């Protein structure tokens, strides 16, 4: 079985960062529309 | 504003469930023998891709109805859906290459599915740039609706590109005419992830819609 766990970890971190980042951005924008 | 609060709560629920998807995918889903752990990127990539395509379909459908009914709510919804589509598209276009590097040996190739997905993403970017460039609200909504309908027409080509062209990208294993070719435990993880991505999509779109509404109320002719 190929050992490529770092790629999976990187993808999971990137996806979470995009989702959480957008949620925070949206929250900040809705504070001062 | 109630709609904004509702959107925030839906988003909070989605974000709270996201770690559960990660735990289920990493610890409670078997590792695929040929691809190893990198295959687990699939549980994020596929739901994000489904919503990237669906968001553009929603933009297109709302745009068609807007051109007939001239209801500003439809324009607002299309704008919200397009912006959230960019977010999910970013996930698709980052997790895809991260999977491609260990499996294909390259981050990117100008394969039909990849190229068309990039084109769809650029269509979203163009849609939002157009909205930012036109100051007259009536014209902006009309121009954006036309571009949104064009974007929707691209979606079937993105989805069917793996059948229409010789591509490196894997064939659909869930969204296809026959039964999903995936073991039950993997399918359950994918379904759970899809539900969480759906909750996030709804939460984001609701908040973004409410934001447009607040902006219009603050400056009615902007």
């Amino acid at each position: 079985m190929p050992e490529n766990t770092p790629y999976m970890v990187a993808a999971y971190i990137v996806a979470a960062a995009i989702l959480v980042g957008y949620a925070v951005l949206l929250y900040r924008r809705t504070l001062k529309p | 504003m109630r709609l904004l609060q509702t959107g925030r709560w839906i988003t909070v629920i989605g974000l709270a469930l996201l770690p559960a998807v990660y735990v289920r995918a990493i610890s409670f889903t078997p590792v695929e023998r040929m691809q190893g752990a990198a295959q687990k990127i699939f549980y994020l990539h596929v739901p994000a891709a489904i919503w990237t395509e669906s968001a553009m379909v929603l933009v297109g459908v709302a745009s068609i109805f807007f051109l007939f009914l001239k209801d500003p709510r439809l324009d607002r919804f299309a704008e919200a859906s397009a912006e959230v589509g960019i977010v999910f598209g970013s996930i698709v276009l980052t997790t895809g290459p991260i999977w491609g590097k260990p499996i294909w040996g390259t981050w990117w190739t100008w394969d039909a599915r990849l190229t068309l997905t990039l084109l769809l993403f650029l269509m979203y970017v163009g849609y939002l740039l157009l909205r930012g460039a036109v100051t007259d609200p009536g014209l902006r909504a009309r121009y954006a609706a036309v571009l949104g309908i064009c974007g929707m027409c691209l979606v079937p080509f993105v989805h069917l590109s793996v059948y229409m062209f010789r591509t490196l990208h894997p064939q659909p294993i869930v969204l296809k005419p026959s039964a999903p070719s995936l073991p039950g435990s993997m399918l359950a993880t994918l379904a759970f992830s899809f539900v969480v991505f759906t909750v996030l999509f709804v939460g984001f779109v609701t908040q973004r819609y409410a934001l447009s509404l607040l902006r219009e109320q603050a400056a009615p002719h902007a």
Side-chain angles (χ1 to χ4, degrees):
Chain A
M1 192 180 295
E3 182 45 59
N4 48 30
T5 308
Y7 289 96
M8 180 198 75
V9 174
Y12 277 45
I13 290 172
V14 167
I18 292 171
L19 290 171
V20 174
Y22 183 65
V24 171
L25 185 77
L26 212 46
Y27 179 73
R28 288 169 62 101
R29 281 160 82 193
T30 50
L31 286 181
K32 275 193 285 182
Chain B
M1 190 185 176
R2 182 179 280 182
L3 190 65
L4 182 60
Q5 286 302 326
T6 308
R8 279 184 184 156
W9 275 111
I10 297 171
T11 305
V12 166
I13 292 168
L15 289 177
L17 287 171
L18 194 63
V21 171
Y22 281 30
V23 170
R24 162 127 195 134
I26 294 168
S27 305
F28 298 98
T29 308
V31 180
E32 208 267 339
R33 195 158 52 92
M34 302 298 284
Q35 296 187 17
Q39 183 272 335
K40 296 189 179 201
I41 295 171
F42 166 88
Y43 303 116
L44 302 180
H45 182 79
V46 173
I50 292 172
W51 275 114
T52 304
E53 291 178 12
S54 305
M56 193 46 113
V57 172
L58 292 174
V59 171
V61 171
S63 298
I64 290 170
F65 281 104
F66 172 78
L67 290 178
F68 284 108
L69 304 172
K70 306 286 180 213
D71 187 337
R73 287 177 299 182
L74 292 163
D75 179 53
R76 235 177 272 138
F77 175 77
E79 182 188 21
S81 186
E83 190 176 295
V84 180
I86 283 200
V87 175
F88 284 86
S90 307
I91 294 175
V92 175
L93 288 175
T94 48
T95 56
I98 295 173
W99 174 84
K101 181 63 181 166
I103 305 301
W104 291 341
T106 181
W107 297 102
W108 184 265
T109 174
W110 293 101
D111 161 280
R113 170 60 79 84
L114 276 65
T115 309
L116 285 170
T117 305
L118 180 64
L119 192 60
L120 181 66
F121 181 80
L122 293 175
M123 206 83 171
Y124 275 126
V125 174
Y127 179 89
L128 293 182
L129 282 176
L130 177 71
R131 295 194 70 97
V134 183
T135 47
D136 180 78
L139 277 182
R140 177 175 58 213
R142 235 175 338 141
Y143 291 166
V146 173
L147 191 59
I149 294 165
C150 294
M152 180 179 69
C153 295
L154 185 63
V155 173
F157 292 98
V158 176
H159 191 72
L160 300 174
S161 56
V162 286
Y163 297 118
M164 294 159 68
F165 305 98
R166 282 179 59 187
T167 68
L168 264 180
H169 193 281
Q171 301 270 320
I173 54 171
V174 180
L175 293 179
K176 57 178 184 148
S178 54
S181 39
L182 204 63
S185 57
M186 289 182 172
L187 195 61
T189 304
L190 180 67
F192 179 42
S193 179
F194 178 71
V195 168
V196 172
F197 271 73
T198 305
V199 172
L200 283 169
F201 183 84
V202 172
F204 286 157
V205 169
T206 309
Q207 278 194 81
R208 186 62 187 79
Y209 181 95
L211 176 64
S212 294
L213 199 59
L214 287 172
R215 280 180 178 165
E216 277 170 36
Q217 284 166 355
H221 302 295

